[in-house]
Every structure is written in structure tokens, then in C-alpha cells.
Amino acid sequence: MDVAVVSIYNVYQIFLVSIWLEVKADDSELLRTNSFILRSPSVYTFRVGAHTLKDGTKYDVEDVKVHEHYQPSKNYHDIALIKVKQAVRLSNKVTPVCLPGPSLVDEDFIGRKATVTGWGDKSFGGVSSKVLQQVSIPVVSNKDCNSVYTKVASSQYPQGITRGQVCAGLSEGGKDACQGDSGGPLVLQDSGRWTLVGIVSFGFNCAEAGYPGVYTRVSHYIRWIAANTDLGK
């Protein structure tokens, strides 16, 4: 199951990481959230500090908070929070990434190079990777992004590309997130610090020329994140 994850949090501090959720054997307990079925948080575990799907450290999930207005069929408000039971231990493989600060709330990031990571498919309809992949791509304007996606008639984005989204990709294609990368981080360096600016949401196939990937714009949801984590206390 792909959960659009912006943060993993506990009572101590906020962690924002690329995450691979694993479902435990007993998945009989289900919760109905909005218009889709979400398994109980107790059936999930996740790894941090992993380069492959077999290394890293596992943690149990205590709670999952999906945005109240998220609808899988619409691709808007594609963001969720995961709360873990134990404090995440920092190491040379596990370090926090920053949330966008006040100076970045209205930043459009156009032209800036961002990096996306994940274990998703290596090509559209292809096989997933067993090793963490990364690719750097430029951020493109919402106006240009909207102009290409309006050519693809789809009920999944009836409002077009909104302020709650950010797009990134090469005009010639060839580099992109893909199936299985959903919920992964799009980060860039700002003032020497890695900052989370997007969450993998959707795209037209993968790495298709003329179609940048579409990400949830994290700065648009700062207040929502604060209201649902210790940041708001």
C-alpha cells in the first residue's frame, strides 16, 4: 500500500524520510477513511536508514492521519502523517530533513534542482528496484504543468494543477518518479539544508517527455502538519 507520507513523528521531534511501509501477516483489521479502506495502523511496520529493502531499522506504527479532504480518485490533498511508537534513532544513515520555513511558504522553486528518491519501478510498467534510487530534476511552473495536464482529460484532476501541488521534470523526459514511489520525498538544498518541498503524488506514465511529475507541495500544508503533530504545541 502506498501512503502519501510527509512525516514520521513522535513526542520528541519531527522526522521526514523516504519510507517503505510493510504490512504484517495479520491484516484483518480495517479502518474506513474517506472513500477508501485503510488497514489499522497496528498491521504496519516501516524501515528507516535503508538502502535496500532488507537493511535499515524497523519501527511499529501507532497512528496514521490522512488529510480530511483527500480522495484517491481526485489526486488532491495527497498527504498523510504517520506516528511511530518509538523514538527514531539518528545515525549517519538517518538524519532529519527540514520542513519549509516561512521564507519558502510563497517560494515557487521554479528552475531549482530537486531530488526525488524511492524504490519504485525503474520504468512505466517495469520492475521495482531493490536498491534505493535517486534522480535530480528541475522544478517547473504550475502554469506550464497545468497546460500539459489539461490536454489529458482526466477526472482525477478536475481543478487542474493547484497551489497545493508542485511539478518537476525535464522537458525531454527520461527522469522521474514512477509507480511505487508514491509518498516519497522531493527535496532541495536551501541555505545549506535539505528541505522537503514535495511528496510524490502522480504523473502521466513515467518520465514521459513534456509531462513533469506532480507532487504535493509541502509548504501549502504547514499549518495542517502543525495542527496534527507536536509542531502545533
Side-chain angles (χ1 to χ4, degrees):
M1 176 183 177
D2 291 330
V3 177
V5 179
V6 63
S7 75
I8 301 168
Y9 63 97
N10 52 39
V11 295
Y12 301 102
Q13 54 188 308
I14 302 294
F15 296 90
L16 303 130
V17 298
S18 184
I19 169 175
W20 180 272
L21 284 176
E22 301 175 3
V23 181
K24 297 176 183 177
D26 182 10
D27 63 352
S28 58
E29 187 178 358
L30 302 176
L31 298 177
R32 183 173 295 276
T33 305
N34 295 329
S35 59
F36 68 102
I37 296 293
L38 174 68
R39 293 182 177 90
S40 168
S42 64
V43 306
Y44 293 109
T45 60
F46 69 92
R47 297 174 188 262
V48 300
H51 183 62
T52 72
L53 296 179
K54 293 184 178 180
D55 58 11
T57 304
K58 285 186 176 183
Y59 291 87
D60 291 323
V61 175
E62 180 178 317
D63 192 20
V64 178
K65 171 66 176 177
V66 180
H67 196 283
E68 305 81 49
H69 300 303
Y70 172 67
Q71 296 181 9
S73 61
K74 300 298 182 184
N75 283 333
Y76 297 116
H77 308 293
D78 191 6
I79 186 170
L81 297 163
I82 288 180
K83 184 176 183 179
V84 297
K85 293 183 178 180
Q86 307 91 354
V88 176
R89 294 183 179 180
L90 298 180
S91 69
N92 62 339
K93 292 184 178 180
V94 180
T95 57
V97 65
C98 299
L99 284 169
S103 64
L104 297 181
V105 170
D106 297 319
E107 173 69 51
D108 56 25
F109 307 113
I110 297 173
R112 297 183 64 174
K113 184 175 291 187
T115 300
V116 60
T117 54
W119 287 273
D121 294 351
K122 296 180 181 180
S123 61
F124 181 67
V127 297
S128 60
S129 176
K130 295 182 180 179
V131 178
L132 186 64
Q133 303 289 301
Q134 73 173 49
V135 65
S136 294
I137 45 180
V139 175
V140 303
S141 72
N142 277 27
K143 181 180 179 180
D144 290 343
C145 190
N146 185 66
S147 68
V148 296
Y149 275 97
T150 52
K151 298 176 183 177
V152 184
S154 175
S155 60
Q156 291 183 309
Y157 30 92
Q159 301 172 40
I161 304 303
T162 70
R163 292 183 300 171
Q165 296 164 318
V166 60
C167 302
L170 298 170
S171 58
E172 66 271 25
K175 295 182 178 181
D176 195 6
C178 205
Q179 283 85 8
D181 289 323
S182 298
L186 180 73
V187 300
L188 57 73
Q189 282 195 309
D190 183 73
S191 301
R193 302 185 302 176
W194 286 105
T195 301
L196 184 73
V197 296
I199 305 166
V200 180
S201 184
F202 71 95
F204 181 68
N205 296 336
C206 300
E208 193 81 15
Y211 288 89
V214 183
Y215 302 76
T216 299
R217 187 183 293 268
V218 176
S219 59
H220 187 75
Y221 292 94
I222 290 297
R223 290 184 178 179
W224 181 83
I225 295 170
N228 290 283
T229 67
D230 291 340
L231 281 179
K233 297 180 180 180

